Amino acid sequence: MTEVLNGVRSVDPGAEVGFVNLQDAEIKSCIGCETCMKKHIAGDYDFRCVHGVDQDHFHFIEMQMRSADAIIVSAPAYNLLPPGILIRFLNKMHASGDYRKVTQSVEACKVGACFSIGGTDWTDYTPNIMRMITMELVGVYNGVIDSVHFDFLNAFQTVMLSPEVTERMHQMGVNVANAVNYKKETGKNAEYVGTEGICTYCHSNLLRVDPDGSVYCPQCNVKGSVEVRDGKLCVSFTEEELTKSRWAPYGQDLHIENIAKGHKKAAIGIEDIKKNYNENFKELVSEYRIGFPALNK
Ligand SMILES: Cc1cc2nc3c(=O)[nH]c(=O)nc-3n(C[C@H](O)[C@H](O)[C@H](O)COP(=O)(O)O)c2cc1C
């Protein structure tokens, strides 16, 4: 990440740069109460989280992100995925007030990029999910202009033996700085220059095959067409299908609509929910739950 920031400074020596190490931050886990979601649906974006803005570092990081032109995310691969600490941070994004609302357009999104490393090649989900996380922090996929992943860098700081990695990281910084300048000059997002995938919307290289044999990009939920050419599986997505990506305005609106429908159903059925739970589950939940021993802190 330091070399990425060097790359940014090589284009724009006056750029204010800095990095947030989530390992240094305290981020309370989202408890799934959906209070922030209900408040946002009701139009109250001042509300952040039931945890309170001064009870962990989420709000501090949110403010750092708000003031940034660009956000670059990096992580190692843990269990084929980005580490839990990054997912925990992502889970709290609902508690960022109107952050997503203001960044969720091609015009207002931030410039983004991401990179990851794995100890071996057990990393299939990592780069795909890194792009998704970056898109969530940046606002839209179109803002993510670069991404790359490196395998077989396992022992601590082996990356120091890999000048080609350092070189690529420097280039990522150059790409980000150029994309920020381009956006300031033209109001447009720069072209994506990262590792290509199958999906032309999110650049994922994953596929979902449904029981009926239809094939989708699982990140975008966009249907693709497949054919085998010279023994090679080729997947394509029409422009029309791509507009239905779950991350495009169509998908986002549908998602909010479905959440609102779910909350409405729960509000209408509140008495039945309480009755069913109290009569059939409440005691069993207490009975089955395994308590934790006190810790020796
Ligand atoms: C808990 C844990 C799980 C890991 N899981 C994977 C994995 O699934 N695939 C992989 O390639 N490397 C895995 N690794 C190795 C790390 O990705 C690798 O060491 C990485 O280079 C560490 O980067 P760092 O030096 O920036 O911490 C794992 C490491 C840890 C600590």
Side-chain angles (χ1 to χ4, degrees), residues 277-292:
Y277 181 75
N278 290 338
E279 288 175 7
N280 300 312
F281 295 96
K282 195 174 176 185
E283 276 179 28
L284 290 173
V285 168
S286 309
E287 190 187 321
Y288 294 160
R289 181 170 283 165
I290 294 173
F292 294 110

PDB file of all heavy atoms in Angstrom, residues 277-292:
ATOM      1  N   TYR A 277     -43.509 -16.677  18.377  1.00  0.00           N
ATOM      2  CA  TYR A 277     -42.196 -16.784  19.023  1.00  0.00           C
ATOM      3  C   TYR A 277     -42.354 -17.129  20.503  1.00  0.00           C
ATOM      4  O   TYR A 277     -41.722 -18.075  20.994  1.00  0.00           O
ATOM      5  CB  TYR A 277     -41.417 -15.465  18.869  1.00  0.00           C
ATOM      6  CG  TYR A 277     -40.044 -15.545  19.496  1.00  0.00           C
ATOM      7  CD1 TYR A 277     -39.030 -16.257  18.872  1.00  0.00           C
ATOM      8  CD2 TYR A 277     -39.781 -14.941  20.722  1.00  0.00           C
ATOM      9  CE1 TYR A 277     -37.772 -16.366  19.454  1.00  0.00           C
ATOM     10  CE2 TYR A 277     -38.524 -15.049  21.315  1.00  0.00           C
ATOM     11  CZ  TYR A 277     -37.522 -15.757  20.673  1.00  0.00           C
ATOM     12  OH  TYR A 277     -36.296 -15.877  21.263  1.00  0.00           O
ATOM     13  N   ASN A 278     -43.210 -16.366  21.195  1.00  0.00           N
ATOM     14  CA  ASN A 278     -43.353 -16.582  22.649  1.00  0.00           C
ATOM     15  C   ASN A 278     -43.901 -17.974  22.967  1.00  0.00           C
ATOM     16  O   ASN A 278     -43.454 -18.622  23.904  1.00  0.00           O
ATOM     17  CB  ASN A 278     -44.262 -15.518  23.259  1.00  0.00           C
ATOM     18  CG  ASN A 278     -43.570 -14.161  23.250  1.00  0.00           C
ATOM     19  OD1 ASN A 278     -42.345 -14.091  23.188  1.00  0.00           O
ATOM     20  ND2 ASN A 278     -44.353 -13.087  23.291  1.00  0.00           N
ATOM     21  N   GLU A 279     -44.865 -18.423  22.135  1.00  0.00           N
ATOM     22  CA  GLU A 279     -45.502 -19.715  22.450  1.00  0.00           C
ATOM     23  C   GLU A 279     -44.647 -20.917  22.029  1.00  0.00           C
ATOM     24  O   GLU A 279     -44.669 -21.959  22.678  1.00  0.00           O
ATOM     25  CB  GLU A 279     -46.882 -19.808  21.765  1.00  0.00           C
ATOM     26  CG  GLU A 279     -47.904 -18.903  22.439  1.00  0.00           C
ATOM     27  CD  GLU A 279     -49.232 -18.880  21.700  1.00  0.00           C
ATOM     28  OE1 GLU A 279     -49.398 -19.667  20.738  1.00  0.00           O
ATOM     29  OE2 GLU A 279     -50.089 -18.066  22.072  1.00  0.00           O
ATOM     30  N   ASN A 280     -43.918 -20.793  20.930  1.00  0.00           N
ATOM     31  CA  ASN A 280     -43.259 -21.974  20.371  1.00  0.00           C
ATOM     32  C   ASN A 280     -41.728 -21.989  20.423  1.00  0.00           C
ATOM     33  O   ASN A 280     -41.130 -23.045  20.243  1.00  0.00           O
ATOM     34  CB  ASN A 280     -43.684 -22.162  18.905  1.00  0.00           C
ATOM     35  CG  ASN A 280     -45.177 -22.342  18.781  1.00  0.00           C
ATOM     36  OD1 ASN A 280     -45.769 -23.141  19.503  1.00  0.00           O
ATOM     37  ND2 ASN A 280     -45.798 -21.578  17.908  1.00  0.00           N
ATOM     38  N   PHE A 281     -41.107 -20.828  20.601  1.00  0.00           N
ATOM     39  CA  PHE A 281     -39.646 -20.797  20.481  1.00  0.00           C
ATOM     40  C   PHE A 281     -38.897 -20.204  21.665  1.00  0.00           C
ATOM     41  O   PHE A 281     -37.760 -20.584  21.934  1.00  0.00           O
ATOM     42  CB  PHE A 281     -39.248 -20.023  19.195  1.00  0.00           C
ATOM     43  CG  PHE A 281     -39.693 -20.722  17.940  1.00  0.00           C
ATOM     44  CD1 PHE A 281     -40.880 -20.374  17.305  1.00  0.00           C
ATOM     45  CD2 PHE A 281     -38.933 -21.750  17.402  1.00  0.00           C
ATOM     46  CE1 PHE A 281     -41.299 -21.033  16.161  1.00  0.00           C
ATOM     47  CE2 PHE A 281     -39.341 -22.415  16.257  1.00  0.00           C
ATOM     48  CZ  PHE A 281     -40.526 -22.063  15.634  1.00  0.00           C
ATOM     49  N   LYS A 282     -39.502 -19.235  22.362  1.00  0.00           N
ATOM     50  CA  LYS A 282     -38.774 -18.450  23.360  1.00  0.00           C
ATOM     51  C   LYS A 282     -38.052 -19.334  24.390  1.00  0.00           C
ATOM     52  O   LYS A 282     -36.848 -19.185  24.610  1.00  0.00           O
ATOM     53  CB  LYS A 282     -39.750 -17.504  24.065  1.00  0.00           C
ATOM     54  CG  LYS A 282     -39.042 -16.412  24.844  1.00  0.00           C
ATOM     55  CD  LYS A 282     -40.012 -15.431  25.399  1.00  0.00           C
ATOM     56  CE  LYS A 282     -39.253 -14.420  26.243  1.00  0.00           C
ATOM     57  NZ  LYS A 282     -40.154 -13.515  26.897  1.00  0.00           N
ATOM     58  N   GLU A 283     -38.777 -20.247  24.984  1.00  0.00           N
ATOM     59  CA  GLU A 283     -38.168 -21.084  26.027  1.00  0.00           C
ATOM     60  C   GLU A 283     -37.078 -21.985  25.459  1.00  0.00           C
ATOM     61  O   GLU A 283     -36.032 -22.190  26.070  1.00  0.00           O
ATOM     62  CB  GLU A 283     -39.247 -21.953  26.696  1.00  0.00           C
ATOM     63  CG  GLU A 283     -39.973 -21.210  27.788  1.00  0.00           C
ATOM     64  CD  GLU A 283     -41.048 -22.059  28.440  1.00  0.00           C
ATOM     65  OE1 GLU A 283     -40.887 -23.296  28.449  1.00  0.00           O
ATOM     66  OE2 GLU A 283     -42.033 -21.470  28.898  1.00  0.00           O
ATOM     67  N   LEU A 284     -37.365 -22.522  24.248  1.00  0.00           N
ATOM     68  CA  LEU A 284     -36.382 -23.432  23.635  1.00  0.00           C
ATOM     69  C   LEU A 284     -35.084 -22.704  23.294  1.00  0.00           C
ATOM     70  O   LEU A 284     -33.999 -23.267  23.434  1.00  0.00           O
ATOM     71  CB  LEU A 284     -36.976 -24.067  22.366  1.00  0.00           C
ATOM     72  CG  LEU A 284     -38.103 -25.075  22.602  1.00  0.00           C
ATOM     73  CD1 LEU A 284     -38.717 -25.499  21.293  1.00  0.00           C
ATOM     74  CD2 LEU A 284     -37.576 -26.299  23.352  1.00  0.00           C
ATOM     75  N   VAL A 285     -35.211 -21.440  22.854  1.00  0.00           N
ATOM     76  CA  VAL A 285     -34.011 -20.664  22.512  1.00  0.00           C
ATOM     77  C   VAL A 285     -33.115 -20.567  23.746  1.00  0.00           C
ATOM     78  O   VAL A 285     -31.901 -20.795  23.675  1.00  0.00           O
ATOM     79  CB  VAL A 285     -34.385 -19.265  21.973  1.00  0.00           C
ATOM     80  CG1 VAL A 285     -33.162 -18.352  21.903  1.00  0.00           C
ATOM     81  CG2 VAL A 285     -35.011 -19.368  20.580  1.00  0.00           C
ATOM     82  N   SER A 286     -33.718 -20.263  24.903  1.00  0.00           N
ATOM     83  CA  SER A 286     -32.923 -20.167  26.147  1.00  0.00           C
ATOM     84  C   SER A 286     -32.351 -21.523  26.519  1.00  0.00           C
ATOM     85  O   SER A 286     -31.211 -21.631  26.970  1.00  0.00           O
ATOM     86  CB  SER A 286     -33.773 -19.686  27.316  1.00  0.00           C
ATOM     87  OG  SER A 286     -34.451 -18.532  26.958  1.00  0.00           O
ATOM     88  N   GLU A 287     -33.169 -22.564  26.323  1.00  0.00           N
ATOM     89  CA  GLU A 287     -32.711 -23.901  26.709  1.00  0.00           C
ATOM     90  C   GLU A 287     -31.525 -24.369  25.851  1.00  0.00           C
ATOM     91  O   GLU A 287     -30.561 -24.932  26.348  1.00  0.00           O
ATOM     92  CB  GLU A 287     -33.885 -24.881  26.561  1.00  0.00           C
ATOM     93  CG  GLU A 287     -33.611 -26.241  27.167  1.00  0.00           C
ATOM     94  CD  GLU A 287     -34.732 -27.230  26.837  1.00  0.00           C
ATOM     95  OE1 GLU A 287     -35.915 -26.822  26.834  1.00  0.00           O
ATOM     96  OE2 GLU A 287     -34.409 -28.395  26.573  1.00  0.00           O
ATOM     97  N   TYR A 288     -31.617 -24.145  24.555  1.00  0.00           N
ATOM     98  CA  TYR A 288     -30.593 -24.665  23.636  1.00  0.00           C
ATOM     99  C   TYR A 288     -29.319 -23.817  23.610  1.00  0.00           C
ATOM    100  O   TYR A 288     -28.252 -24.308  23.236  1.00  0.00           O
ATOM    101  CB  TYR A 288     -31.132 -24.729  22.194  1.00  0.00           C
ATOM    102  CG  TYR A 288     -32.254 -25.723  21.972  1.00  0.00           C
ATOM    103  CD1 TYR A 288     -33.099 -25.588  20.868  1.00  0.00           C
ATOM    104  CD2 TYR A 288     -32.466 -26.798  22.829  1.00  0.00           C
ATOM    105  CE1 TYR A 288     -34.123 -26.481  20.633  1.00  0.00           C
ATOM    106  CE2 TYR A 288     -33.492 -27.694  22.596  1.00  0.00           C
ATOM    107  CZ  TYR A 288     -34.320 -27.541  21.512  1.00  0.00           C
ATOM    108  OH  TYR A 288     -35.324 -28.414  21.287  1.00  0.00           O
ATOM    109  N   ARG A 289     -29.442 -22.535  23.968  1.00  0.00           N
ATOM    110  CA  ARG A 289     -28.274 -21.644  23.823  1.00  0.00           C
ATOM    111  C   ARG A 289     -27.157 -22.040  24.784  1.00  0.00           C
ATOM    112  O   ARG A 289     -27.385 -22.199  25.972  1.00  0.00           O
ATOM    113  CB  ARG A 289     -28.694 -20.190  24.064  1.00  0.00           C
ATOM    114  CG  ARG A 289     -27.546 -19.220  23.896  1.00  0.00           C
ATOM    115  CD  ARG A 289     -28.023 -17.790  23.894  1.00  0.00           C
ATOM    116  NE  ARG A 289     -28.624 -17.430  22.605  1.00  0.00           N
ATOM    117  CZ  ARG A 289     -29.376 -16.354  22.397  1.00  0.00           C
ATOM    118  NH1 ARG A 289     -29.671 -15.550  23.400  1.00  0.00           N
ATOM    119  NH2 ARG A 289     -29.871 -16.101  21.201  1.00  0.00           N
ATOM    120  N   ILE A 290     -25.937 -22.181  24.256  1.00  0.00           N
ATOM    121  CA  ILE A 290     -24.784 -22.531  25.089  1.00  0.00           C
ATOM    122  C   ILE A 290     -24.149 -21.238  25.608  1.00  0.00           C
ATOM    123  O   ILE A 290     -23.797 -20.355  24.820  1.00  0.00           O
ATOM    124  CB  ILE A 290     -23.759 -23.352  24.280  1.00  0.00           C
ATOM    125  CG1 ILE A 290     -24.381 -24.711  23.903  1.00  0.00           C
ATOM    126  CG2 ILE A 290     -22.453 -23.538  25.046  1.00  0.00           C
ATOM    127  CD1 ILE A 290     -23.549 -25.553  22.959  1.00  0.00           C
ATOM    128  N   GLY A 291     -24.041 -21.112  26.911  1.00  0.00           N
ATOM    129  CA  GLY A 291     -23.453 -19.911  27.503  1.00  0.00           C
ATOM    130  C   GLY A 291     -21.934 -19.966  27.420  1.00  0.00           C
ATOM    131  O   GLY A 291     -21.342 -21.041  27.276  1.00  0.00           O
ATOM    132  N   PHE A 292     -21.308 -18.789  27.467  1.00  0.00           N
ATOM    133  CA  PHE A 292     -19.839 -18.734  27.408  1.00  0.00           C
ATOM    134  C   PHE A 292     -19.261 -18.557  28.806  1.00  0.00           C
ATOM    135  O   PHE A 292     -19.839 -17.834  29.630  1.00  0.00           O
ATOM    136  CB  PHE A 292     -19.397 -17.564  26.523  1.00  0.00           C
ATOM    137  CG  PHE A 292     -19.787 -17.736  25.079  1.00  0.00           C
ATOM    138  CD1 PHE A 292     -20.774 -16.956  24.497  1.00  0.00           C
ATOM    139  CD2 PHE A 292     -19.149 -18.691  24.303  1.00  0.00           C
ATOM    140  CE1 PHE A 292     -21.129 -17.126  23.168  1.00  0.00           C
ATOM    141  CE2 PHE A 292     -19.496 -18.869  22.976  1.00  0.00           C
ATOM    142  CZ  PHE A 292     -20.493 -18.081  22.398  1.00  0.00           C
TER     143      PHE A 292
END
